[in-house]
Amino acid sequence: MMKMGKKISMLAVSTMLLGSLAGVASAAAWHQVSSQTYWLLDALERGQGVTSDGSGWIFNSNAGLLRTSIDGKTVQARNALAIPSAISSLGGDHIGDISYYNGKIYAPIEDGSNYQHPFLALYDAQTLQYTGTSYALPLNLHPGGVPWVAVDAQRGQVYTAQWSNASNLNVFSLDDMHFIKTVPLTQSIDRIQGAEVYNGQLYASTDNGTQSVYTIDPETGSVALAFNRNLSSGTEAQGIAVLPTANGAALHILDVGSNRISVNFRHYAE
């Protein structure tokens, strides 16, 4: 009986250990498969956000948009001063992480350190020219600006959240950007620099101490750690894009190097 008890105990411990290891493996499943580094002006033009329409990349700086082929180098279009005059006249001077839907780039724009005029502006994804359509976002939902936007085409929704210790996901209608609801998060997320929808989940790139990437369920608000990037000290995490590529990568995340004159574009597979 004692031997049987030991066997049962050992089996229980083994099961618990395997479960624990499975949890670790799950959290560490995403891994970097390749990266590109841009320098100086090339880095400046790619230093904030990124998205894709499936055939190329669209990067953004504080004030401009850049379209490249899928190699990330060949420039196809450029709009160096993309912020509309009507928004810049209100102080708009910073484009956050962008998103793509149906031939349009969705660009969040905030006004310096005042954060009194959050906007979402739409651009043609091929020419990068302003379409003339923009939306003033509710100030009460964006007290620290609008650092990113993510389009969820399947659900017909658009998401934003505040940058510092976000405790809610803001949900808007993709049709006309009217506010639908806020979804409380199961845990707050600090310093979100960009987010995109992948397999029904919102993947959020953060600039916390380990450059964590979290998943958010847009329906329930459930938050889980996808993986930590653990970049070198002084590196600043930036925007994120989703695109399955030939090397198996699906998530593509920017970061500004600690030297402040280079930008890395890292590609992650699960």
Side-chain angles (χ1 to χ4, degrees), residues 201-216:
Q201 295 288 299
L202 189 64
Y203 280 74
S205 164
T206 74
D207 188 43
N208 63 9
T210 53
Q211 298 80 39
S212 303
V213 177
Y214 293 94
T215 61
I216 303 170

Side-chain angles (χ1 to χ4, degrees), residues 62-77:
N62 285 348
L65 298 169
L66 180 77
R67 180 184 177 89
T68 74
S69 63
I70 209 67
D71 64 9
K73 299 177 181 179
T74 306
V75 175
Q76 298 176 332

Side-chain angles (χ1 to χ4, degrees), residues 3-88:
K3 289 183 180 180
M4 180 62 71
K6 286 183 178 179
K7 286 182 180 179
I8 293 173
S9 297
M10 290 179 68
L11 179 61
V13 170
S14 298
T15 302
M16 291 174 64
L17 180 59
L18 287 172
S20 176
L21 290 174
V24 171
S26 176
W30 287 94
H31 59 283
Q32 181 177 314
V33 294
S34 63
S35 68
Q36 298 161 269
T37 299
Y38 305 103
W39 296 88
L40 300 174
L41 181 58
D42 288 336
L44 180 65
E45 291 188 304
R46 297 165 171 82
Q48 290 295 314
V50 61
T51 191
S52 177
D53 62 356
S55 62
W57 301 109
I58 299 91
F59 299 93
N60 70 278
S61 62
N62 285 348
L65 298 169
L66 180 77
R67 180 184 177 89
T68 74
S69 63
I70 209 67
D71 64 9
K73 299 177 181 179
T74 306
V75 175
Q76 298 176 332
R78 176 183 281 113
N79 185 352
L81 297 173
I83 299 176
S85 58
I87 296 177
S88 63

